[in-house]
Amino acid sequence: MAVQYYESPLGTLAIRACACFITGIYLCREGPRQRAEPDGLTELAARRLDEYFYGHKTAFDLPLKPEGTEFQKKVWSELIKIPFGAVVTYGRLAEAAGKPDAARAVGGAVGKNPILIIIPCHRVLASGGLGGFSAGMEAKLFLLRHEGII
């Protein structure tokens, strides 16, 4: 497994890849925990994140393979469809995932998204406000501002 650390405006991100896929992008709250072993794919992901944060990239073209249940994968595949600068509610996302009465379960799947930013879980809002974000509300607010949403 390849691992590369990326210094973002949110803090240090760990980019993980296995074989030919990005499998994770996580915020490292306590700094890097393992030795970095980058490869061409993690380096490409870091370049794409640079382009995103510097305002040159609004969509990503990376091979992704998030690990999760079939339901989680369905929700994450719907998240990828939310365009830069747009948001949806958990309820609308539940409808798109084919489970219109499962907004709470969809929220759980969104919260377990293993590939931050690339799978844009920050673009999902609660019907009455911002909702949560696994990387913290400051990070969610930053990303929403960065995309011109708020």
Side-chain angles (χ1 to χ4, degrees), residues 25-36:
I25 297 179
Y26 304 93
L27 182 62
C28 301
R29 297 187 192 280
E30 300 169 12
R33 293 186 181 185
Q34 69 186 74
R35 199 172 126 240

Side-chain angles (χ1 to χ4, degrees), residues 39-127:
D39 68 4
L41 188 53
T42 61
E43 290 170 357
L44 176 61
R47 284 194 305 275
R48 295 295 183 260
L49 287 168
D50 270 345
E51 293 167 352
Y52 170 80
F53 284 118
Y54 288 109
H56 305 296
K57 187 82 145 156
T58 60
F60 295 95
D61 55 351
L62 296 166
L64 307 176
K65 191 172 185 179
E67 294 296 322
T69 66
E70 289 306 312
F71 177 72
Q72 289 169 335
K73 290 176 186 178
K74 174 64 177 161
V75 171
W76 300 334
S77 71
E78 292 300 324
L79 286 174
I80 291 172
K81 297 175 186 176
I82 306 168
F84 181 93
V87 294
V88 300
T89 64
Y90 292 101
R92 296 281 294 199
L93 187 59
E95 289 173 15
K99 300 284 186 180
D101 296 326
R104 189 175 299 268
V106 164
V110 170
K112 293 190 183 300
N113 171 20
I115 305 177
L116 290 179
I117 303 165
I118 309 295
I119 299 177
C121 54
H122 60 279
R123 297 178 187 153
V124 182
L125 306 178
S127 59

Side-chain angles (χ1 to χ4, degrees), residues 122 125 130 140-150:
H122 60 279
L125 306 178
L130 290 174
K140 183 170 188 163
L141 289 169
F142 175 88
L143 293 169
L144 293 174
R145 284 187 194 105
H146 175 70
E147 295 189 14
I149 296 167
I150 59 170

